[in-house]
Amino acid sequence: MIPILATARLTLRPRVATDAAALFPTMRDPAAMTWWSRPPFTDVAELADHFAMRDTGPWRAWAITRTGDDTAIGFVSAGARRPGVTEIGYLLAQDAAGQGIAAEAVSAVIDRLFVEGDRRVFADTDPENGRSIALLRRLGFTLEGRLRGEWETHIGVRDTLLFGLLREEWRR
């Protein structure tokens, strides 16, 4: 079960397949999807299927909504990798960028993961994804390493940077 999380401006609720309609404009955009391990989505049904498939097993995903408006403007996902260790990922609609929403939403999920008993949260990001790297650093993540040739993506074979955060390092 995915708990609902609330912040000063946001409500994070379980992401559902019908959120695809709201997030499709961003997830079909080649610029927005540059750093993803897959190409942009081609239709809403494909994205809805992806959401339905991805929200099973070890992965949980929260839709980011503004309090009082249930329209998804992004999501934060978390996948258990082993006991006490979770990988996070996130996406924010382009028109919601630059407002501190991603930091607020990712922080809420990190809070939850540490309350649930995780000892470590990590993220991997492309070395050229400056916005994601800046967000992770702002949240207190430490660059732990570079995996060369880690991902074969729609833009070629890419390295990845691993960022980690331990529970005792979390500033919240």
Side-chain angles (χ1 to χ4, degrees):
M1 179 153 161
I2 299 174
I4 294 173
L5 307 175
T7 72
R9 303 180 293 166
L10 307 172
T11 300
L12 283 75
R13 57 157 174 79
R15 185 180 68 187
V16 293
T18 54
D19 290 326
L23 295 174
F24 181 68
T26 298
M27 297 189 79
R28 77 169 177 219
D29 180 3
M33 294 296 288
T34 299
W35 309 120
W36 284 74
S37 57
R38 59 148 297 131
F41 288 85
T42 57
D43 62 56
V44 174
E46 176 192 22
L47 182 56
D49 288 346
H50 177 77
F51 283 174
M53 176 192 72
R54 203 45 195 195
D55 294 344
T56 61
W59 283 94
R60 301 182 284 172
W62 286 264
I64 303 168
T65 68
R66 296 178 197 275
T67 301
D69 180 355
D70 197 47
T71 305
I73 58 171
F75 61 84
V76 180
S77 55
R81 293 304 192 194
R82 58 198 143 281
V85 178
T86 298
E87 179 180 0
I88 61 163
Y90 38 84
L91 175 128
L92 191 63
Q94 292 166 310
D95 62 353
Q99 303 169 38
I101 291 171
E104 192 172 326
V106 173
S107 292
V109 172
I110 291 170
D111 282 342
R112 180 65 191 194
L113 294 171
F114 287 144
V115 164
E116 290 176 352
D118 276 6
R119 68 177 185 278
R120 171 179 156 72
V121 175
F122 76 95
D124 78 63
T125 191
D126 189 284
E128 294 182 32
N129 188 347
R131 293 181 94 172
S132 186
I133 291 167
L135 173 63
L136 293 168
R137 286 191 168 136
R138 193 166 47 254
L139 294 176
F141 282 74
T142 298
L143 175 62
E144 298 177 328
R146 181 183 200 117
L147 300 177
R148 297 174 300 146
E150 176 70 3
W151 293 103
E152 187 168 349
T153 77
H154 58 290
I155 61 170
V157 175
R158 306 296 295 175
D159 291 359
T160 194
L161 298 179
L162 291 177
F163 286 86
L165 179 68
L166 302 178
R167 181 178 23 211
E168 59 269 18
E169 297 169 337
W170 184 230
R171 295 177 278 203
R172 310 229 352 138

